[in-house]
Amino acid sequence: MRARTDAESAARGFTFSELMVAAAAREIRDGELVFVGMRLPMLAFLVARRTHAPRAIGLFENGIIRETPAKELLYTMGDPPNLRAATQCGQMLDVMGLLQQGRVDMGFLGAAEVDRFGNLNSTWGHRNREMQRLPGSGGACDIACLAKRTVVLLAHERARLTERVSHVTSPGYGLGDGWRHAQGLPLSSGPSAVITTMGVLRFGTDGEAYLASVHPGVSVEEVLTNTGWTLRVADELVDTPVPSDSELDVMREIDPNHFWTR
Amino acid sequence: MASESKLTTMHDAIVRHVPSGSMVLLGAQLEQMIPFAAGHELIRQSRRDLTLVGPISDILFDQLIGAGCVSRVMAAWVGNVSAGVGYCFRRAVEQGIPRRLETVDYSNFTLALALHAAALGVPFMPTYATLGSDLLKKNGNLREFPSPVSEEKLVAVRALRPDVAIINVQRADTQGNAHVWGSLGVAIDGARASRKVIIVAEEIVEPGVIASDPNRTLIPGFMVSAVVHEPGGAHPSPVQGYYGRDHAFFSEYHDQTKRVEDFENWLSRWVLPVRDRHEYMEKFSSERYEALRVREHALSAPADYGY
């Protein structure tokens, strides 16, 4: 699987990670406040700022707000280059306050598991029927509860896209159909996309996920086989747009050795 | 008029202020300025039944858990920021090795609010965060309640009052008046929330240096119990303006702690036989140390407090 994927991506001139970064970047609109996170979302934020969203503003849970990119590749949000010449270095409560006020447009999240209604588990993993304790929420639960939109990135595996997560670290649409409102969560909030290594899932008004696009070279059957529930497919299913040259240029300038986009 | 100095050694600060059974706040500034030197001293002094409080604390929590110092962890994230999971944390939760560990799972925001409530002297702070999550169901310090002023549900985050906060800072005077900049995280509330504060400073400076910029004095000395001068005390985490993050150290820790015996070897190399932070720093090659040094200083413009 891996070898075939690499051969295919070489033929196309970009990797699946780069495709995911480009797809993630396009979820950011110009002028938005975005909870960035690390790894692929960090790259996506920088790509968005250098292409279609030059006025997007990045927030980090340690209290950092940035409008200009850090001068070096970051491994953690607390790396010294991320603080130098930041827009503001505040406290965690300052950025979490913006989030709770409803000012934050979008947040990126990762997870061990995502389910049919976009609920995320990053607390307990499962391998060979054994429970594995994972690091936990960090700020993910806060962002999932309070950002206007959330975008999830993860590898597309049947064990990770599961009918129902065993632990709701970060709520999506719960059990669907008005569940978030019933919990008391803000009306305009919740997951808007799940970007995987095979395609992009979006959510219907009932809160259930559907396949909105497949990555080039991936078949719908492959996606369905690797999803742990009967995934709905959009009537107007499209191919995920490939990364543009300018998007790839930015990614490779920031991460020339493909540290994040192997 | 000068009050008595609070300057002491790490060894004595831990002897005096952090007995077994304490609730200890560590890692208040997230990935920066993590009190690794203090944590290693807790391990050397064989503290037991500690409750660790902090948003993430990177691999410091994992080390203290692996060394058997901890009976409870109240945090949003426990692992290795560079590599993901922390093996000692996993072993303790899944198998009770080296001892059973109680976990109280927070999100970053709710942990910050728990400290904020204590800093303000109120029993709880309200929030919408964690509504609908299993954190709310499983953490008894998060309680849903109807808003008394609107038709809404909220979560009451119970105040957390640690026995002691250990905060690494860039510079302080011998009274504990401390300048911190860069990554603040929950450090200010964390210090105010705690019964005692230990300041671990990269530099000890004259009181006039601190007094020259009171906006940057985020922790006032009257709240501080002890001041430790400990250059390199946050390694392998970074201190803005002093040294960078030793990314390789975090990856090496991950590779070197997979099995219990691996972790014990790691402790025997980096913690147990090491007298103090000075000796720890001497274990690094000069090349490695050099690579972490600030390559280009970036001083802020002075602020004029004149009148």
Side-chain angles (χ1 to χ4, degrees):
Chain A
M1 176 72 198
R2 175 83 208 181
R4 201 201 63 179
T5 303
D6 287 346
E8 280 183 3
S9 59
R12 281 194 305 269
F14 54 84
T15 68
F16 269 120
S17 295
E18 288 175 328
L19 182 72
M20 289 172 76
V21 169
R26 291 167 194 177
E27 297 294 319
I28 300 171
R29 298 167 200 161
D30 198 17
E32 288 195 330
L33 249 63
V34 181
F35 249 97
V36 179
M38 281 295 114
R39 303 170 196 249
L40 299 188
M42 179 77 218
L43 273 180
F45 174 71
L46 296 172
V47 169
R49 271 199 56 98
R50 293 270 296 275
T51 53
H52 65 277
R55 290 174 299 149
I57 298 169
L59 307 180
F60 299 86
E61 290 151 68
N62 52 1
I64 309 301
I65 302 176
R66 272 206 93 89
E67 289 167 272
T68 55
K71 289 225 164 98
E72 292 177 27
L73 181 67
L74 302 175
Y75 298 87
T76 83
M77 64 180 76
D79 286 2
N82 203 33
L83 279 62
R84 181 168 172 187
T87 303
Q88 189 180 16
C89 292
Q91 304 178 65
M92 183 190 284
L93 277 188
D94 298 330
V95 289
M96 289 298 182
L98 291 172
L99 182 66
Q100 187 159 257
Q101 283 181 304
R103 291 185 187 220
V104 175
D105 299 288
M106 207 267 268
F108 284 113
L109 299 173
E113 294 177 350
V114 59
D115 72 18
R116 183 174 201 139
F117 294 104
N119 304 298
L120 305 178
N121 172 16
S122 47
T123 306
W124 287 100
H126 306 87
R127 187 178 288 175
N128 305 327
R129 296 192 182 161
E130 279 184 18
M131 297 282 274
Q132 288 187 334
R133 174 63 211 221
L134 303 174
S137 162
C141 178
D142 308 313
I143 294 165
C145 287
L146 302 171
K148 288 184 196 161
R149 311 191 309 279
T150 51
V151 172
V152 182
L153 280 86
L154 86 168
H156 204 127
E157 298 164 15
R158 194 178 169 85
R160 296 183 66 180
L161 280 81
T162 182
E163 167 81 34
R164 177 81 183 144
V165 292
S166 57
H167 184 277
V168 180
T169 309
S170 306
Y173 294 105
L175 302 168
D177 279 332
W179 182 91
R180 283 183 74 89
H181 182 56
Q183 302 305 308
L185 290 167
L187 273 180
S188 173
S189 66
S192 69
V194 177
I195 299 171
T196 76
T197 40
M198 293 188 167
V200 177
L201 282 57
R202 294 194 183 277
F203 294 86
T205 50
D206 60 357
E208 185 176 335
Y210 64 89
L211 182 64
S213 76
V214 284
H215 298 341
V218 178
S219 71
V220 174
E221 288 66 36
E222 267 181 283
V223 175
L224 299 183
T225 308
N226 286 286
T227 303
W229 72 91
T230 310
L231 178 64
R232 297 189 300 189
V233 178
D235 293 338
E236 290 153 19
L237 182 74
V238 294
D239 276 355
T240 310
V242 300
S244 69
D245 287 346
S246 53
E247 287 167 338
L248 287 172
D249 285 347
V250 177
M251 282 180 229
R252 290 168 189 176
E253 181 192 316
I254 296 162
D255 186 14
N257 301 318
H258 287 267
F259 185 85
W260 297 123
T261 55
R262 277 186 294 271
Chain B
M1 279 303 287
S3 313
E4 215 168 292
S5 166
K6 295 171 186 169
L7 204 55
T8 183
T9 62
M10 184 63 82
H11 175 271
D12 290 354
I14 298 298
V15 166
R16 180 136 181 240
H17 300 293
V18 197
S20 286
S22 296
M23 181 186 282
V24 191
L25 172 68
L26 297 163
Q29 293 112 308
L30 284 82
E31 288 97 341
Q32 279 228 11
M33 296 188 262
I34 301 171
F36 279 98
H40 291 186
E41 189 57 34
L42 287 169
I43 294 172
R44 279 193 290 271
Q45 294 190 23
S46 303
R47 288 296 176 274
R48 290 293 175 266
D49 295 318
L50 298 177
T51 291
L52 302 184
V53 176
I56 68 165
S57 236
D58 218 315
I59 56 174
L60 181 55
F61 279 2
D62 196 68
Q63 293 170 10
L64 286 159
I65 291 164
C69 303
V70 186
S71 59
R72 184 168 57 162
V73 59
M74 308 175 90
W77 196 96
V78 184
N80 180 330
V81 172
S82 290
V85 299
Y87 290 111
C88 295
F89 175 57
R90 278 197 54 196
R91 274 191 289 272
V93 176
E94 295 167 18
Q95 305 168 58
I97 297 171
R99 44 188 316 184
R100 222 176 61 78
L101 179 71
E102 182 191 346
T103 56
V104 185
D105 286 329
Y106 284 83
S107 63
N108 275 339
F109 190 14
T110 50
L111 189 85
L113 287 171
L115 296 171
H116 193 58
L120 293 180
V122 292
F124 70 89
M125 287 297 294
T127 181
Y128 302 109
T130 72
L131 282 168
S133 75
D134 283 354
L135 275 63
L136 174 58
K137 284 185 192 154
K138 293 180 182 175
N139 179 342
N141 293 329
L142 307 175
R143 299 281 180 89
E144 198 176 300
F145 73 107
S147 165
V149 296
S150 59
E151 300 296 312
E152 291 176 298
K153 284 191 241 185
L154 288 161
V155 173
V157 181
R158 188 194 301 271
L160 265 185
R161 195 158 183 222
D163 295 306
V164 55
I166 305 180
I167 311 272
N168 275 49
V169 305
Q170 277 99 341
R171 62 188 180 213
D173 63 25
T174 59
Q175 294 303 301
N177 296 294
H179 274 185
V180 191
W181 58 91
S183 185
L184 304 181
V186 300
I188 302 172
D189 279 333
R192 287 182 187 143
S194 301
R195 293 181 166 86
K196 288 183 171 183
V197 178
I198 298 174
I199 290 291
V200 183
E202 289 294 325
E203 280 189 81
I204 299 297
V205 296
E206 289 301 316
V209 174
I210 302 296
S212 75
D213 193 358
N215 278 123
R216 216 181 300 277
T217 307
L218 302 188
I219 300 165
F222 73 85
M223 288 167 46
V224 172
S225 298
V227 179
V228 179
H229 182 212
E230 195 81 303
H235 176 275
S237 69
V239 177
Q240 197 79 23
Y242 288 77
Y243 44 91
R245 187 174 190 268
D246 191 346
H247 302 295
F249 196 93
F250 289 87
S251 304
E252 287 159 16
Y253 177 81
H254 185 70
D255 295 336
Q256 292 165 2
T257 56
K258 281 195 171 113
R259 300 173 307 162
V260 179
E261 49 270 40
D262 299 333
F263 174 71
E264 282 166 359
N265 286 338
W266 188 91
L267 272 187
S268 307
R269 179 169 176 208
W270 291 106
V271 182
L272 296 175
V274 181
R275 195 181 335 111
D276 55 19
R277 195 56 14 171
H278 181 69
E279 192 178 315
Y280 171 96
M281 297 306 283
E282 286 187 334
K283 292 167 81 73
F284 293 101
S285 67
S286 54
E287 293 82 15
R288 185 162 189 166
Y289 194 67
E290 197 61 34
L292 300 177
R293 285 173 68 143
V294 174
R295 293 189 298 280
E296 184 190 27
H297 286 282
L299 299 178
S300 64
D304 188 353
Y305 283 89
Y307 57 89

